[in-house]
Amino acid sequence: PISPSGTINTNLPTYTWSMIKGATKYQYQLYQENTRLTAQTVSANVCTNNICTFTPAVPLSAGEYRWRVCAYINNIWYSTSSFLNFSIPSR
């Protein structure tokens, strides 16, 4: 994962991660504390120039979040990345 990280100023963040060679799809997982809020699978078509980006349609409320991503290569889901933390301050 690359971003979001730290305090962000939008409730509709774009998730950015490094492309993995051979991956045909990715799954990003969003958590609030230990509760998984979503796990969304996206095609490798979201990747350009070794960077993948995806912006979900559902806005988030203020709070502390963490997210990670995993890659699907040759019909196998590979281990998830480490978590990246971000927060959305109250407005």
Side-chain angles (χ1 to χ4, degrees), residues 1 10-12 23 25 36 38 44 50-51 54 61-62 64 67-69 76-77 90:
T10 179
N11 64 349
L12 205 55
K25 55 188 171 181
R36 186 165 75 180
T38 190
N50 295 322
I51 299 294
F54 179 74
S61 57
E64 302 284 328
W67 73 284
R68 62 187 179 181
V69 67
I76 298 170
W77 282 107
S90 299

Side-chain angles (χ1 to χ4, degrees), residues 26 38 40-41 49 53 55-56 62 72 77:
Y26 298 89
T38 190
Q40 185 155 353
T41 301
N49 297 326
T53 61
T55 305
Y72 188 77
W77 282 107

Side-chain angles (χ1 to χ4, degrees), residues 4 6 8-15 28-32 35-38 40 54-67 84-91:
I8 63 171
N9 294 316
T10 179
N11 64 349
L12 205 55
T14 295
Y15 298 88
Y28 86 91
Q29 301 171 355
L30 178 66
Y31 290 78
Q32 193 164 31
T35 302
R36 186 165 75 180
L37 302 178
T38 190
Q40 185 155 353
F54 179 74
T55 305
V58 179
L60 300 173
S61 57
E64 302 284 328
Y65 297 91
R66 60 191 183 130
W67 73 284
L84 197 57
N85 300 317
F86 71 95
S87 62
I88 301 173
S90 299
R91 296 185 187 248

